[in-house]
Amino acid sequence: MRFVKLTDWLAWQETQHAKQIDLGLERARPVLQRMGLARPTHGVITVAGTNGKGSSVAFLEAVLLAAGYRVGAYMSPHLLRYNERVRLNGVEVDDATFCESFARIDAARGDISLTYFEFGTLAAFDIFQRAAVDIAVLEVGMGGRLDATNLLDADVALVTAIGIDHTAYLGPDRESIAREKAGIFRRGRPAVCGDPDPPRSLIAHAQSLGAPLYRLGHDFGYEGAHGDGTWSWWGRQGGVTQRFDTLPRPRLYGAFQLQNAAGAVMALQQCAARFPVSEQALREGLQTAQVRGRFQIVPGAVTCIFDVAHNPHGAEVLAATLREHACAGRTLAVCAMLADKDSAGVLHALRDSVDSWYVAGLAAPRGARAEQLAAVLSTAGAAVTAHNNVADACRAALRDARPGDRVVAFGSFYTVAEAWPALQAAHG
């Protein structure tokens, strides 16, 4: 084995490929085949989308676990620990298991150069196969067509909300981005789209493959305005309509989570012949599903909220959720972003929801400088201070906060990862 510590493996992987992001299947595919992983015996649900992927994976995983299946879940990126990326039966995989898998991948790859993400994706496939899971739920990293998760054929493909992000890799508009995400569809196999207004390119690609496409608002939907706090789901297939009424609201915050949950339920219905799920398991899964960094609340005299929103659509959802969960005091925002994101669009979406801004530089590849974000906000007339790093911004926000206020840290996964220990420590 090249290394015995996970940290050493990960540091080495970051240096092994010329590009940090290099989409394509031509490198990882032969390694997958050499390892005998190309045709897994377990089921596969693959989830793509701009926003809502992580929550949808959490819903699918929780319901399938409640139904008694052995479940593997793969998500990226992680927030605090690399181990968050791969779970077996709801438990993060330990360091030793990752190291053993990386050693097998290293031996199989020969002289093939793999990216950090490709190493992690192949490790997830390897770990799931060796653990003999019944079904694996995979979150696409970027796009879909050329993402390493697309090496495995999905039994059911789910595409969540589609917005503008990663334009340098996926294209400049929703049509081109949706075309890339629809690349996870497979000929003759069901595809589910949880976006209420799917681009034509996604629909056309499903039709070209003969993949049955189930669309939110057309083939399935939800009603979430019940007075008792419950919601209903309906789905139509083969002329038959099925309903689940008085469902418990998801544990995850935000009205938008009903849209994610509705898509996940429809995806489960499409694999029900092989993996049937009872209504009781559905209810239990909705109430237990959780994922870090999605409007995650830490209560206190000053409430702390963590959210990985990093594109305009995600920021709009965050703004709506802040309005839905209003506080007695002010909202103070700690924000740091990557330089290649639409910072103006993100900040504009949240401008009316925030009283004071604490922007920071991000110590990450492609991190934006605090002055860049401050300039956008100053032009809009917002109250803003700039800080060297996220920890400093968190401490400044908490110094200014009064009981009844809340501090919201958002802008990227890196931002939440840095803000979490800083706010937790100061929060007591």
Side-chain angles (χ1 to χ4, degrees):
M1 186 182 293
R2 187 183 295 269
F3 305 105
V4 296
K5 292 183 178 180
L6 178 58
T7 52
D8 292 336
W9 272 109
L10 297 177
W12 175 77
Q13 289 170 21
E14 290 178 337
T15 68
Q16 292 307 295
H17 196 70
K19 297 180 181 179
Q20 182 187 25
I21 300 174
D22 194 4
L23 298 179
L25 307 181
E26 68 280 356
R27 294 178 302 277
R29 190 187 301 278
V31 183
L32 184 84
Q33 292 168 340
R34 292 172 192 174
M35 296 179 71
L37 301 173
R39 298 184 180 278
T41 56
H42 57 72
V44 176
I45 301 177
T46 303
V47 183
T50 305
N51 294 299
K53 292 181 297 183
S55 299
S56 298
V57 169
F59 286 132
L60 291 165
E61 177 191 27
V63 173
L64 288 164
L65 284 172
Y69 297 109
R70 291 179 54 81
V71 183
Y74 176 53
M75 301 174 69
S76 66
H78 61 277
L79 280 178
L80 306 178
R81 288 162 33 93
Y82 186 88
N83 309 66
E84 297 167 19
R85 294 182 177 226
V86 181
R87 291 193 299 272
L88 288 172
N89 296 322
V91 179
E92 295 173 6
V93 168
D94 60 33
D95 288 11
T97 300
F98 272 115
C99 291
E100 291 164 4
S101 183
F102 287 148
R104 288 190 288 271
I105 296 166
D106 192 25
R109 71 182 180 89
D111 59 357
I112 296 175
S113 172
L114 298 173
T115 67
Y116 180 92
F117 181 76
E118 288 166 342
F119 263 105
T121 304
L122 288 170
F125 296 168
D126 177 51
I127 291 166
F128 294 157
Q129 184 95 327
R130 288 176 173 270
V133 300
D134 297 313
I135 187 166
V137 185
L138 310 176
E139 178 185 359
V140 169
M142 184 185 295
R145 181 176 66 93
L146 298 177
D147 189 85
T149 54
N150 202 33
L151 288 165
L152 297 187
D153 293 330
D155 296 292
V156 179
L158 169 61
V159 174
T160 63
I162 300 167
I164 306 297
D165 202 1
H166 301 299
T167 54
Y169 300 95
L170 307 181
D173 50 42
R174 290 183 79 239
E175 288 293 335
S176 54
I177 291 170
R179 189 176 298 111
E180 291 297 315
K181 296 185 184 301
I184 67 170
F185 296 169
R186 291 297 188 269
R187 185 170 302 279
R189 297 189 182 184
V192 177
C193 182
D195 190 303
D197 183 26
R200 289 189 298 271
S201 60
L202 182 142
I203 298 171
H205 187 64
Q207 291 173 339
S208 72
L209 292 174
L213 178 62
Y214 301 93
R215 295 158 47 190
L216 178 67
H218 187 270
D219 304 290
F220 70 97
Y222 64 95
E223 300 155 8
H226 302 331
D228 59 357
T230 63
W231 65 292
S232 298
W233 178 93
W234 62 268
R236 188 165 46 240
Q237 186 174 0
V240 178
T241 299
Q242 184 179 15
R243 290 187 64 92
F244 296 118
D245 289 310
T246 63
L247 291 172
R249 290 186 71 87
R251 180 176 177 179
L252 297 172
Y253 287 99
F256 186 76
Q257 293 297 352
L258 293 183
Q259 181 174 318
N260 293 330
V265 174
M266 192 62 180
L268 290 168
Q269 295 304 303
Q270 300 314 305
C271 55
R274 184 176 176 187
F275 300 104
V277 168
S278 68
E279 185 171 345
Q280 178 56 38
L282 177 60
R283 291 174 176 276
E284 183 179 334
L286 287 170
Q287 292 179 296
T288 57
Q290 56 184 324
V291 57
R292 286 176 172 165
R294 275 65 165 187
F295 208 84
Q296 187 172 356
I297 297 175
V298 178
V302 175
T303 299
C304 293
I305 299 173
F306 302 88
D307 198 284
V308 296
H310 56 273
N311 53 52
H313 182 261
E316 290 168 3
V317 172
L318 174 57
T321 310
L322 287 170
R323 291 192 297 270
E324 182 184 349
H325 298 273
C327 71
R330 301 167 301 159
T331 297
L332 314 181
V334 172
C335 178
M337 297 186 65
L338 297 177
D340 56 1
K341 299 299 181 182
D342 180 6
S343 57
V346 168
L347 298 175
H348 177 77
L350 281 154
R351 185 180 58 188
D352 296 334
S353 301
V354 173
D355 298 292
S356 294
W357 293 86
Y358 302 77
V359 297
L362 200 55
R366 315 189 322 275
R369 293 181 297 108
E371 292 74 18
Q372 294 173 261
L373 302 179
V376 174
L377 289 163
S378 296
T379 301
V384 56
T385 58
H387 303 269
N388 290 329
N389 54 61
V390 172
D392 285 348
C394 290
R395 284 189 283 268
L398 285 174
R399 280 196 303 269
D400 293 346
R402 301 187 293 265
D405 290 346
R406 59 185 174 185
V407 175
V408 183
F410 77 97
S412 78
F413 281 81
Y414 293 109
T415 308
V416 173
E418 291 184 33
W420 181 266
L423 286 175
Q424 289 283 72
H427 209 246

